[in-house]
PDB file of all heavy atoms in Angstrom:
ATOM      1  N   ALA B  88     164.389-154.942 105.937  1.00 98.00           N
ATOM      2  CA  ALA B  88     163.646-154.257 106.988  1.00 98.00           C
ATOM      3  C   ALA B  88     162.256-153.896 106.483  1.00 98.00           C
ATOM      4  O   ALA B  88     162.058-153.691 105.276  1.00 98.00           O
ATOM      5  CB  ALA B  88     164.379-152.994 107.440  1.00 98.00           C
ATOM      6  N   GLN B  89     161.310-153.831 107.398  1.00 97.00           N
ATOM      7  CA  GLN B  89     159.943-153.493 107.030  1.00 97.00           C
ATOM      8  C   GLN B  89     159.379-152.430 107.963  1.00 97.00           C
ATOM      9  O   GLN B  89     159.619-152.454 109.174  1.00 97.00           O
ATOM     10  CB  GLN B  89     159.042-154.722 107.056  1.00 97.00           C
ATOM     11  CG  GLN B  89     157.618-154.429 106.578  1.00 97.00           C
ATOM     12  CD  GLN B  89     156.845-155.669 106.210  1.00 97.00           C
ATOM     13  OE1 GLN B  89     157.129-156.752 106.692  1.00 97.00           O
ATOM     14  NE2 GLN B  89     155.852-155.497 105.351  1.00 97.00           N
ATOM     15  N   PHE B  90     158.617-151.531 107.382  1.00 96.00           N
ATOM     16  CA  PHE B  90     157.878-150.488 108.099  1.00 96.00           C
ATOM     17  C   PHE B  90     156.494-151.081 108.379  1.00 96.00           C
ATOM     18  O   PHE B  90     155.748-151.382 107.451  1.00 96.00           O
ATOM     19  CB  PHE B  90     157.765-149.266 107.181  1.00 96.00           C
ATOM     20  CG  PHE B  90     157.321-147.986 107.828  1.00 96.00           C
ATOM     21  CD1 PHE B  90     157.932-146.805 107.493  1.00 96.00           C
ATOM     22  CD2 PHE B  90     156.272-147.946 108.740  1.00 96.00           C
ATOM     23  CE1 PHE B  90     157.515-145.598 108.052  1.00 96.00           C
ATOM     24  CE2 PHE B  90     155.855-146.767 109.315  1.00 96.00           C
ATOM     25  CZ  PHE B  90     156.476-145.574 108.962  1.00 96.00           C
ATOM     26  N   GLY B  91     156.152-151.269 109.633  1.00 96.00           N
ATOM     27  CA  GLY B  91     154.893-151.919 109.964  1.00 96.00           C
ATOM     28  C   GLY B  91     153.660-151.177 109.455  1.00 96.00           C
ATOM     29  O   GLY B  91     153.663-149.946 109.380  1.00 96.00           O
ATOM     30  N   ILE B  92     152.643-151.931 109.127  1.00 96.00           N
ATOM     31  CA  ILE B  92     151.400-151.375 108.582  1.00 96.00           C
ATOM     32  C   ILE B  92     150.751-150.386 109.550  1.00 96.00           C
ATOM     33  O   ILE B  92     150.181-149.372 109.138  1.00 96.00           O
ATOM     34  CB  ILE B  92     150.401-152.507 108.256  1.00 96.00           C
ATOM     35  CG1 ILE B  92     150.907-153.299 107.057  1.00 96.00           C
ATOM     36  CG2 ILE B  92     149.019-151.941 107.951  1.00 96.00           C
ATOM     37  CD1 ILE B  92     150.889-152.516 105.755  1.00 96.00           C
ATOM     38  N   THR B  93     150.833-150.665 110.824  1.00 95.00           N
ATOM     39  CA  THR B  93     150.225-149.779 111.824  1.00 95.00           C
ATOM     40  C   THR B  93     151.058-148.534 112.071  1.00 95.00           C
ATOM     41  O   THR B  93     150.621-147.611 112.762  1.00 95.00           O
ATOM     42  CB  THR B  93     150.062-150.507 113.169  1.00 95.00           C
ATOM     43  OG1 THR B  93     151.373-150.824 113.688  1.00 95.00           O
ATOM     44  CG2 THR B  93     149.245-151.778 113.016  1.00 95.00           C
ATOM     45  N   ARG B  94     152.272-148.496 111.526  1.00 94.00           N
ATOM     46  CA  ARG B  94     153.243-147.399 111.703  1.00 94.00           C
ATOM     47  C   ARG B  94     153.770-147.319 113.133  1.00 94.00           C
ATOM     48  O   ARG B  94     154.388-146.327 113.497  1.00 94.00           O
ATOM     49  CB  ARG B  94     152.636-146.055 111.271  1.00 94.00           C
ATOM     50  CG  ARG B  94     152.273-146.026 109.794  1.00 94.00           C
ATOM     51  CD  ARG B  94     151.512-144.775 109.423  1.00 94.00           C
ATOM     52  NE  ARG B  94     152.335-143.593 109.569  1.00 94.00           N
ATOM     53  CZ  ARG B  94     151.869-142.353 109.460  1.00 94.00           C
ATOM     54  NH1 ARG B  94     150.592-142.145 109.233  1.00 94.00           N
ATOM     55  NH2 ARG B  94     152.684-141.324 109.591  1.00 94.00           N
ATOM     56  N   LYS B  95     153.538-148.382 113.909  1.00 95.00           N
ATOM     57  CA  LYS B  95     154.008-148.386 115.288  1.00 95.00           C
ATOM     58  C   LYS B  95     155.142-149.382 115.494  1.00 95.00           C
ATOM     59  O   LYS B  95     155.593-149.582 116.626  1.00 95.00           O
ATOM     60  CB  LYS B  95     152.848-148.724 116.233  1.00 95.00           C
ATOM     61  CG  LYS B  95     151.751-147.676 116.237  1.00 95.00           C
ATOM     62  CD  LYS B  95     150.655-148.053 117.207  1.00 95.00           C
ATOM     63  CE  LYS B  95     149.550-146.998 117.218  1.00 95.00           C
ATOM     64  NZ  LYS B  95     148.475-147.343 118.178  1.00 95.00           N
ATOM     65  N   ASP B  96     155.575-150.032 114.426  1.00 96.00           N
ATOM     66  CA  ASP B  96     156.643-151.008 114.587  1.00 96.00           C
ATOM     67  C   ASP B  96     157.454-151.171 113.310  1.00 96.00           C
ATOM     68  O   ASP B  96     157.050-150.749 112.221  1.00 96.00           O
ATOM     69  CB  ASP B  96     156.097-152.351 115.062  1.00 96.00           C
ATOM     70  CG  ASP B  96     155.040-152.915 114.128  1.00 96.00           C
ATOM     71  OD1 ASP B  96     154.861-152.381 113.015  1.00 96.00           O
ATOM     72  OD2 ASP B  96     154.378-153.900 114.510  1.00 96.00           O
ATOM     73  N   SER B  97     158.624-151.791 113.482  1.00 97.00           N
ATOM     74  CA  SER B  97     159.493-152.081 112.359  1.00 97.00           C
ATOM     75  C   SER B  97     160.297-153.341 112.679  1.00 97.00           C
ATOM     76  O   SER B  97     160.535-153.642 113.851  1.00 97.00           O
ATOM     77  CB  SER B  97     160.437-150.901 112.082  1.00 97.00           C
ATOM     78  OG  SER B  97     161.287-151.182 110.991  1.00 97.00           O
ATOM     79  N   PHE B  98     160.700-154.050 111.614  1.00 97.00           N
ATOM     80  CA  PHE B  98     161.419-155.303 111.778  1.00 97.00           C
ATOM     81  C   PHE B  98     162.683-155.289 110.930  1.00 97.00           C
ATOM     82  O   PHE B  98     162.717-154.707 109.853  1.00 97.00           O
ATOM     83  CB  PHE B  98     160.529-156.477 111.323  1.00 97.00           C
ATOM     84  CG  PHE B  98     159.216-156.526 112.018  1.00 97.00           C
ATOM     85  CD1 PHE B  98     158.138-155.797 111.539  1.00 97.00           C
ATOM     86  CD2 PHE B  98     159.048-157.288 113.157  1.00 97.00           C
ATOM     87  CE1 PHE B  98     156.907-155.824 112.186  1.00 97.00           C
ATOM     88  CE2 PHE B  98     157.832-157.319 113.808  1.00 97.00           C
ATOM     89  CZ  PHE B  98     156.756-156.594 113.323  1.00 97.00           C
ATOM     90  N   LEU B  99     163.729-155.936 111.440  1.00 98.00           N
ATOM     91  CA  LEU B  99     164.965-156.110 110.694  1.00 98.00           C
ATOM     92  C   LEU B  99     165.311-157.597 110.685  1.00 98.00           C
ATOM     93  O   LEU B  99     165.330-158.218 111.745  1.00 98.00           O
ATOM     94  CB  LEU B  99     166.118-155.316 111.309  1.00 98.00           C
ATOM     95  CG  LEU B  99     167.482-155.510 110.647  1.00 98.00           C
ATOM     96  CD1 LEU B  99     167.500-154.886 109.249  1.00 98.00           C
ATOM     97  CD2 LEU B  99     168.596-154.918 111.503  1.00 98.00           C
ATOM     98  N   ASN B 100     165.567-158.122 109.506  1.00 98.00           N
ATOM     99  CA  ASN B 100     166.010-159.505 109.383  1.00 98.00           C
ATOM    100  C   ASN B 100     167.380-159.534 108.736  1.00 98.00           C
ATOM    101  O   ASN B 100     167.658-158.782 107.802  1.00 98.00           O
ATOM    102  CB  ASN B 100     165.028-160.307 108.529  1.00 98.00           C
ATOM    103  CG  ASN B 100     163.666-160.413 109.191  1.00 98.00           C
ATOM    104  OD1 ASN B 100     163.553-160.636 110.392  1.00 98.00           O
ATOM    105  ND2 ASN B 100     162.628-160.247 108.402  1.00 98.00           N
ATOM    106  N   ILE B 101     168.235-160.424 109.238  1.00 98.00           N
ATOM    107  CA  ILE B 101     169.550-160.663 108.655  1.00 98.00           C
ATOM    108  C   ILE B 101     169.592-162.127 108.259  1.00 98.00           C
ATOM    109  O   ILE B 101     169.367-163.005 109.089  1.00 98.00           O
ATOM    110  CB  ILE B 101     170.686-160.360 109.646  1.00 98.00           C
ATOM    111  CG1 ILE B 101     170.564-158.935 110.191  1.00 98.00           C
ATOM    112  CG2 ILE B 101     172.045-160.567 108.978  1.00 98.00           C
ATOM    113  CD1 ILE B 101     171.556-158.620 111.297  1.00 98.00           C
ATOM    114  N   SER B 102     169.855-162.391 107.013  1.00 98.00           N
ATOM    115  CA  SER B 102     169.900-163.785 106.567  1.00 98.00           C
ATOM    116  C   SER B 102     171.341-164.279 106.512  1.00 98.00           C
ATOM    117  O   SER B 102     172.270-163.505 106.267  1.00 98.00           O
ATOM    118  CB  SER B 102     169.249-163.915 105.187  1.00 98.00           C
ATOM    119  OG  SER B 102     169.969-163.174 104.232  1.00 98.00           O
ATOM    120  N   ALA B 103     171.500-165.583 106.763  1.00 97.00           N
ATOM    121  CA  ALA B 103     172.799-166.252 106.654  1.00 97.00           C
ATOM    122  C   ALA B 103     173.900-165.443 107.343  1.00 97.00           C
ATOM    123  O   ALA B 103     174.854-164.980 106.700  1.00 97.00           O
ATOM    124  CB  ALA B 103     173.134-166.486 105.189  1.00 97.00           C
ATOM    125  N   SER B 104     173.788-165.272 108.643  1.00 97.00           N
ATOM    126  CA  SER B 104     174.707-164.418 109.395  1.00 97.00           C
ATOM    127  C   SER B 104     176.163-164.870 109.241  1.00 97.00           C
ATOM    128  O   SER B 104     176.467-166.062 109.069  1.00 97.00           O
ATOM    129  CB  SER B 104     174.324-164.423 110.872  1.00 97.00           C
ATOM    130  OG  SER B 104     174.373-165.722 111.392  1.00 97.00           O
TER     131      SER B 104
END
Side-chain angles (χ1 to χ4, degrees):
Chain B
Q89 184 163 25
F90 193 138
I92 290 292
T93 65
R94 297 172 66 188
K95 295 181 180 181
D96 57 11
S97 180
F98 304 86
L99 176 69
N100 295 318
I101 305 173
S102 63
S104 59

